Amino acid sequence: SARQVNIAIIGAGGVGKCFLSQLESLAARRQNQKLVLTYIATSKKAVYSDSYSPIALDSVVSTLSSSSQAPLALPKLVDYLAASGTKTVLVDNTSSQDIADAYPSFLRRGISIVTPNKKAFSGSYKLWQDIFAAKEEGGSLLYHEASCGAGLPVISTIKDLVETGDEVTKIEGVFSGTMSFLFNSFAPTSGSGGGKWSAEVAKAKELGYTEPDPRDDLNGLDVARKLTILARYAGLEVESPTSFPVQSLIPKQLESVASGDEFLARLPEFDAEMEEVKAEAQKEGKVVRFVGSIDVASKQVKVGLEKFDLSHPIAALKGSDNIISFYTKRYGSNPLIIQGAGAGGDVTAMGVTSDLLKVLAQL
Ligand code: NAD
């Protein structure tokens, strides 16, 4: 008979909803394992029962929205899941730091985790160490492919490179779909057609490529978090995403304006500065891009604007794609390059679902 694996999910937003539909189809196809959803929560609501009765996957979104149950506090949730006596996988589809901080408690109790949430792996170095120690102790499994590059195989690639004994010397890339879109439009390789910087930011926001307040993309922190994760896998003990240089594209004077809308309204005052940056690159026959890089030998991690020849793969990126180049001893001077959509519900959920498959294969 099929062995049962319990699934608990936190978060049912853009990624969470896409994941639920992928889980429904996976559960229907799975032959040797019975996947049972026993807990699901958002920040406001939850669905679960003391008897761990299966929550129907085909109607879970409406069951959740009409539920009057409140989410369990995290220590209670750990106890609830651990007490089931059945192998359990927690899927964290939030961006919550509190949940990330609780990973060690789940992992230590044998609960495996898959997640697109960056917070656990890009927070303090102590949390990173606690997480991997707790995983060893609890014999649990942990995958977070979608925390860097959404569905692109970035984390699995760096792990494979390192674990097979290759030596990563440098990682360089465009790690933000928003920044990719902004610079591909603002400074196209064709040399013409790029609009004013503030207009490009406004357009990106209209098209839904930015956070509600574009400053949350322009401050570079999201890219810094992804670099922190990759640098740690490359062997660097990066203390936090603020422990290395990160260039913010928010003008100092606009850092503290009250709203995203006021920020956008005043951004044109700074168009001349960005125009200068673009012209300076043009003079050298280059284009400017917002990149993150890790130099392993010199232990240098940095995020910010850099100039690239028009023929460089980073310059030639399209739309809102990400690109990540791994320079290693084995690959020599021609890096291993991963490129494609680095955001979006379906591709991000695919990263989570493929992680779940890896866990299921080992349970
Ligand atoms: P979202 O804001 O659409 O959804 C977040 C969900 O988490 C909501 O259901 C919310 O209620 C729930 N939530 C938040 N805090 C919670 C808490 N403390 N307890 C319980 N529930 C909580 O976000 P999203 O776009 O679906 O992103 C989810 C995760 O995926 C984030 O970590 C994000 O960084 C990551 N990610 C997203 C993308 C993308 O393209 N959207 C790409 C890569 C990674």
Side-chain angles (χ1 to χ4, degrees), residues 10-16 41-43 93-96 99 116-118 146 150 342-344 348:
I10 314 181
V15 173
T42 62
S43 42
N93 283 330
T94 75
S95 57
S96 160
I99 298 171
N117 183 355
K118 290 179 272 289
T348 307

Side-chain angles (χ1 to χ4, degrees), residues 7 25 35 42 112 129 139 162 195 202 214 268 283 298 300 312 319 321 336:
I7 312 281
S25 125
L35 306 185
T42 62
S112 295
Q129 287 176 308
V162 171
K283 257 190 278 170
S298 68
Q300 269 190 10
H312 195 285
D321 279 2
L336 185 170

Side-chain angles (χ1 to χ4, degrees), residues 186-187 274-289 305-310:
F186 174 64
M274 284 302 280
E275 213 53 47
E276 213 171 292
V277 170
K278 178 157 122 181
E280 203 180 288
Q282 253 164 1
K283 257 190 278 170
E284 297 174 35
K286 297 182 176 182
V287 288
V288 64
R289 295 288 182 265
L305 294 173
E306 308 251 352
K307 293 174 271 190
F308 291 92
D309 284 331
L310 301 183

Side-chain angles (χ1 to χ4, degrees), residues 229-242:
I229 300 173
L230 288 179
R232 286 172 176 174
Y233 278 118
L236 301 183
E237 288 187 14
V238 175
E239 185 42 50
S240 81
T242 54

